């Protein structure tokens, strides 16, 4: 009589296979910062500059990208770029979406954006970066702090990278490398690369942990599109607060910052003066 077939199928992975799979996961579990700007970083007429993004591990970024593209498929929209969405008549692709949605444009636009900032809210990534009162920074008298800070973009990039490294150190005892992924806007891409090398020269931990910088087309990188959202919305709120100091953060800003838990640093005129004074006192 033939032996009965087993009721439970043999596990597809043996112990060695599971161990090897675990090792492969660890090898790719490096961290990534995706970043973008809002406000012309080299325009002396721009009062505020925003350079923000998100920090997370590569496995979470893979999941995030699936969710983001699924939202785009649901709405049938071009890549997310906040300036184009709020000024659709200046962009060919978004003007077509506005025409398609017609009188419901405002409502459907807000509903669509809610889906995208919900993806961020549900993701295991954290906002990093800064919005700088660039006009006040330019008008500050020369000082040790201003020389060290160099300019608003350098200040924002330093805030972003240091915050990401601190999170990585708190997350794992293993010094996994961190890569920096930035929109390939020609206005500031190479400037970011130069300033990163300055940071590596000034801070050993930046040299050790930041393994590379990559400039990408934001149309195909959901993480950079998400960075555009927080850079735009953080700058918008900071501009609004200058006119209306009691202004509250929008629902979108709350979603993009996990209910204000992970916010970019808002370097107002008062905070810049405080930083300037603290460096002067310590020198």
């Amino acid at each position: 009589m033939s032996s009965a077939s087993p009721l439970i199928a043999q596990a597809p992975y043996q112990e060695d296979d599971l161990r090897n799979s675990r090792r492969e996961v660890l090898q790719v579990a490096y961290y990534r910062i995706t970043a973008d700007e809002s406000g012309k970083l080299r325009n002396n007429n721009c009062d505020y500059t925003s350079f923000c993004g998100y920090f997370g591990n590569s496995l979470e970024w893979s999941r995030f990208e699936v969710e983001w593209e699924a939202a785009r498929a649901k709405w049938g929209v071009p890549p997310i770029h906040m300036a184009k969405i709020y000024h659709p008549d200046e962009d060919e692709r978004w003007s077509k979406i506005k025409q398609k949605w017609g009188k419901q444009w405002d409502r459907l636009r807000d509903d669509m954006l809610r889906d995208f900032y919900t993806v961020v809210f549900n993701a295991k990534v954290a906002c990093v970066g800064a919005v700088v009162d660039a006009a006040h920074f330019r008008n500050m008298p020369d000082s040790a702090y201003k020389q060290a800070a160099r300019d608003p973009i350098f200040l924002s990039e330093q805030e972003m990278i240091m915050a990401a490294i601190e999170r990585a150190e708190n997350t794992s005892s293993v010094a996994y490398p961190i890569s920096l992924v930035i929109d390939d806007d020609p206005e500031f891409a190479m400037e970011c690369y130069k300033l990163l090398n300055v940071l590596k020269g000034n801070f050993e931990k930046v040299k050790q942990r930041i393994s590379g910088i990559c400039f990408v087309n934001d149309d195909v990188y959901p993480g950079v599109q998400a960075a555009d959202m927080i850079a735009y919305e953080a700058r918008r709120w900071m501009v609004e607060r200058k006119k209306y100091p009691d202004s509250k953060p929008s629902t979108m800003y709350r979603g993009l910052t996990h209910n204000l838990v992970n916010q970019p640093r808002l370097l107002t005129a008062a905070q810049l003066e405080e930083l300037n004074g603290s460096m002067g006192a310590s020198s």
Side-chain angles (χ1 to χ4, degrees):
M1 187 171 93
S2 61
S3 59
S5 300
L7 295 178
I8 301 176
Q10 184 178 8
Y13 293 106
Q14 301 299 320
E15 185 176 351
D16 287 345
D17 295 323
L18 292 173
R19 189 178 296 114
N20 290 335
S21 176
R22 171 68 174 167
R23 186 177 298 113
E24 289 173 2
V25 168
L26 289 175
Q27 287 174 350
V28 299
Y30 62 90
Y31 298 107
R32 188 189 311 164
I33 308 165
T34 63
D36 200 10
E37 53 83 27
S38 179
K40 297 302 181 182
L41 299 180
R42 288 300 179 201
N43 185 345
N44 287 334
N45 294 321
C46 188
D47 289 344
Y48 293 91
T49 60
S50 177
F51 193 27
C52 304
Y54 289 97
F55 166 82
N57 69 50
S58 61
L59 296 181
E60 179 63 6
W61 276 121
S62 296
R63 190 202 64 78
F64 178 95
E65 288 164 0
V66 172
E67 293 288 324
W68 192 273
E69 290 303 305
R72 280 190 59 209
K74 169 188 172 181
W75 288 97
V77 295
I80 300 303
H81 192 289
M82 297 295 282
K84 295 176 181 178
I85 291 171
Y86 280 106
H87 301 90
D89 296 334
E90 299 174 11
D91 181 78
E92 181 180 357
R93 290 184 292 181
W94 279 104
S95 65
K96 291 179 180 179
I97 299 297
K98 182 182 177 182
Q99 291 170 11
K100 178 181 177 181
W101 291 352
K103 294 180 179 179
Q104 299 188 75
W105 162 251
D106 288 343
R107 179 181 66 81
L108 292 177
R109 177 200 62 200
D110 293 346
D111 289 348
M112 173 202 66
L113 288 173
R114 184 180 302 111
D115 268 7
F116 286 101
Y117 66 71
T118 299
V119 172
V120 175
F121 183 82
N122 291 328
K124 304 302 188 293
V125 297
C127 178
V128 290
V131 186
V132 181
D133 187 332
H136 185 81
F137 183 90
R138 287 192 300 268
N139 291 328
M140 289 171 63
D142 191 34
S143 65
Y145 169 75
K146 191 172 184 180
Q147 291 177 16
R150 299 174 70 100
D151 58 34
I153 182 176
F154 183 77
L155 189 54
S156 321
E157 187 171 350
Q158 180 174 332
E159 288 286 343
M160 177 188 299
I161 289 173
M162 290 306 192
I165 291 175
E166 181 180 0
R167 285 185 175 275
E169 290 175 338
N170 292 336
T171 302
S172 175
S173 59
V174 179
Y176 291 121
I178 303 169
S179 61
L180 183 59
V181 180
I182 300 177
D183 180 32
D184 62 356
D185 187 317
E187 182 181 355
F188 76 101
M190 292 312 298
E191 188 68 17
C192 288
Y193 175 75
K194 293 175 183 176
L195 295 176
L196 175 60
N197 283 327
V198 173
L199 287 171
K200 286 184 174 183
N202 292 344
F203 301 97
E204 183 62 26
K205 66 167 57 179
V206 176
K207 182 178 180 180
Q208 292 177 352
R209 296 303 295 268
I210 304 299
S211 60
I213 183 170
C214 181
F215 304 106
V216 300
N217 179 355
D218 60 349
D219 280 4
V220 295
Y221 273 80
V224 178
Q225 294 172 47
D228 176 80
M229 287 189 75
I230 184 58
Y232 185 97
E233 189 63 12
R235 181 179 181 275
R236 186 204 62 77
W237 185 38
M238 192 159 168
V239 170
E240 186 176 274
R241 286 174 63 190
K242 188 166 187 176
K243 184 180 292 186
Y244 307 106
D246 295 331
S247 171
K248 303 299 182 184
S250 66
T251 303
M252 184 187 303
Y253 183 86
R254 286 182 171 275
L256 292 168
T257 60
H258 301 99
N259 274 333
L260 312 183
V261 173
N262 301 310
Q263 297 187 64
R265 189 170 185 185
L266 304 179
L267 291 171
T268 62
Q271 289 180 313
L272 289 170
E273 289 298 336
E274 184 178 342
L275 292 169
N276 187 41
S278 63
M279 177 170 280
S282 61
S283 61

